[in-house]
């Protein structure tokens, strides 16, 4: 069973899951990074450019999903270093710091709440992320092109690309593609017809939507949405 709720950390989501069977799961690209708890260990989930297929473990997971572009500030890890990876926090931080944070999370009444407290503490220590990154997300999520986004933020295309690599793990073109996928899936899950979903989400046509969904998620759109 999976549940999630808005965190007290602005823009973040706290989630927890206990698999009901041994089948594999599928985590879709969303532009985010997560701080994870599993079996008493802490890990970092990097940004994905394709679906991440889980192994079907029966033991529980919990996580804090940070707003796109903010996790590198809080965790002190450039996003490009963990792109398409799940990495033990012990491989990224000094051992003493990992032990201290892990102990705090494990001592909490439940791991999800412990992770949220940890994330709030990390954010307080690190300070606010660069507000320009939020503007990048807003512009691309509104369907603006990379060129229009760079112009809007008064950045050259190369400078925008460099900023995105550290914050999101990939360039603005890929970020825009991932955000467009999420827009389309939200609409399709509400029952919006595929052709209308494609047009409103910013695809050239329904065939373009279908290709992008298969490339980014590994499944046809109908199968991804449970046979709709």
């Amino acid at each position: 069973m999976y549940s999630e709720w808005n965190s007290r950390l602005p823009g973040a989501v706290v989630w927890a899951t206990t698999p009901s069977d041994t089948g594999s799961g599928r985590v879709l690209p969303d532009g985010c990074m997560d701080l994870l708890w599993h079996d008493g260990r802490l890990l970092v989930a990097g940004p994905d450019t394709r679906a991440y297929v889980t192994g079907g473990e029966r033991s529980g997971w919990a996580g804090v999903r940070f707003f796109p572009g903010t996790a590198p500030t809080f965790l002190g890890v450039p996003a490009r270093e963990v792109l398409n990876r799940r990495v033990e926090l012990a491989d990224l931080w000094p051992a003493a710091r990992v032990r201290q944070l892990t102990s705090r999370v494990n001592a909490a009444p439940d791991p999800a709440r412990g992770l949220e407290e940890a994330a709030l503490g990390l954010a307080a220590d690190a300070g606010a992320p660069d507000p320009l990154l939020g503007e990048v997300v807003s512009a691309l999520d509104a369907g603006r092109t990379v060129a229009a986004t760079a112009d809007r933020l008064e950045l050259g295309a190369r400078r925008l690309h460099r900023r995105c690599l550290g914050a999101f793990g990939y360039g603005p073109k890929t970020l825009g593609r991932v955000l467009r996928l999420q827009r389309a899936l939200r609409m399709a899950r509400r029952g919006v017809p595929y052709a209308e979903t494609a047009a409103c989400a910013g695809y050239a046509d329904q065939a373009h939507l279908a290709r992008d969904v298969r490339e980014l998620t590994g499944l046809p759109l109908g199968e991804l949405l449970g046979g709709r």
Side-chain angles (χ1 to χ4, degrees), residues 76-224:
V77 179
R80 63 180 178 274
E81 293 187 7
V82 289
L83 181 64
N84 292 320
R85 300 171 63 200
R86 272 57 180 165
V87 182
E88 297 273 355
L89 188 60
D91 293 335
L92 303 171
W93 283 11
R97 189 181 182 199
V98 174
R99 285 195 300 270
Q100 183 182 46
L101 189 63
T102 303
S103 295
R104 286 170 50 197
V105 174
N106 286 334
D110 70 84
R113 298 295 182 184
L115 280 174
E116 182 178 26
E117 291 296 333
L120 288 165
L122 292 172
D125 291 341
D130 185 349
L132 181 140
L133 300 173
E135 295 183 42
V136 171
V137 174
S138 295
L140 293 174
D141 197 31
R144 288 189 172 87
T145 65
V146 173
T149 299
D151 289 344
R152 178 183 177 85
L153 300 178
E154 299 182 348
L155 292 172
R158 291 184 180 179
R159 187 178 172 198
L160 175 61
H161 187 81
R162 287 195 300 270
R163 297 286 288 273
C164 285
L165 287 179
F168 308 107
Y170 36 60
K173 183 175 181 179
T174 299
L175 177 61
R177 190 182 181 206
V178 166
L179 295 174
R180 182 178 61 186
L181 169 74
Q182 290 295 331
R183 288 199 304 275
L185 292 179
R186 286 193 296 269
M187 296 175 65
R189 286 170 177 146
R190 294 198 303 266
V192 178
Y194 292 163
E196 184 180 347
T197 291
C200 293
Y203 292 90
D205 51 30
Q206 186 174 332
H208 183 199
L209 166 65
R211 287 195 304 273
D212 231 38
V213 168
R214 184 183 284 273
E215 289 176 10
L216 290 171
T217 73
L219 292 175
L221 181 56
E223 185 177 344
L224 182 67

Side-chain angles (χ1 to χ4, degrees), residues 25-88:
R26 191 172 295 266
V27 180
L28 304 183
D30 58 9
C32 301
M33 289 173 57
D34 293 45
L35 179 63
L36 306 174
W37 174 94
H38 178 63
D39 284 346
R41 297 154 34 231
L42 298 182
L43 305 92
V44 172
D48 294 319
T49 59
R50 56 186 180 274
Y52 180 84
V53 179
T54 63
E57 301 93 338
R58 279 194 173 275
S59 53
W61 288 80
V64 173
R65 184 179 307 120
F66 297 100
F67 186 80
T70 62
T73 297
F74 301 149
L75 299 175
V77 179
R80 63 180 178 274
E81 293 187 7
V82 289
L83 181 64
N84 292 320
R85 300 171 63 200
R86 272 57 180 165
V87 182
E88 297 273 355

Side-chain angles (χ1 to χ4, degrees), residues 3-8 12-16 63-65 112-113 116:
S3 59
E4 67 174 39
W5 56 94
N6 290 332
S7 172
R8 286 174 289 150
V13 172
V14 185
W15 58 268
V64 173
R65 184 179 307 120
R113 298 295 182 184
E116 182 178 26

